[in-house]
Amino acid sequence: MSIFDDDRPKQPSAHEIGSDLSVLSVDELKNRVALLQGEISRLEQEIAAKTSGRKAAEGLFRF
């Protein structure tokens, strides 16, 4: 560990849309892609859960 490590800009732990990607290494970019793919999956699961709940409610209240 160098004494100059503190001078290096800190990378955010989460991805910010529109952030400067030129300062990231290939490994950091791959980690961000994995992070975003995980978040997309989580969002899709929530959409599916809400869609199925709505369909169940609609079926219950149909005459």
Side-chain angles (χ1 to χ4, degrees):
M1 184 166 153
S2 168
I3 61 170
F4 299 107
D5 286 343
D6 292 337
D7 295 339
R8 192 168 172 234
K10 304 266 190 232
Q11 297 299 328
S13 60
H15 181 73
E16 183 178 326
I17 303 298
S19 63
D20 183 13
L21 301 177
S22 66
V23 298
L24 300 175
S25 69
V26 172
D27 286 336
E28 289 170 321
L29 290 169
K30 287 180 180 180
N31 288 337
R32 296 235 180 151
V33 168
L35 174 78
L36 291 170
Q37 287 172 335
E39 185 65 7
I40 288 168
S41 176
R42 190 175 77 90
L43 291 167
E44 288 173 338
Q45 289 172 359
E46 187 65 21
I47 288 169
K50 288 185 180 213
T51 300
S52 67
R54 181 176 180 157
K55 285 181 182 177
E58 287 174 353
L60 182 64
F61 293 107
R62 285 198 184 161
F63 294 100

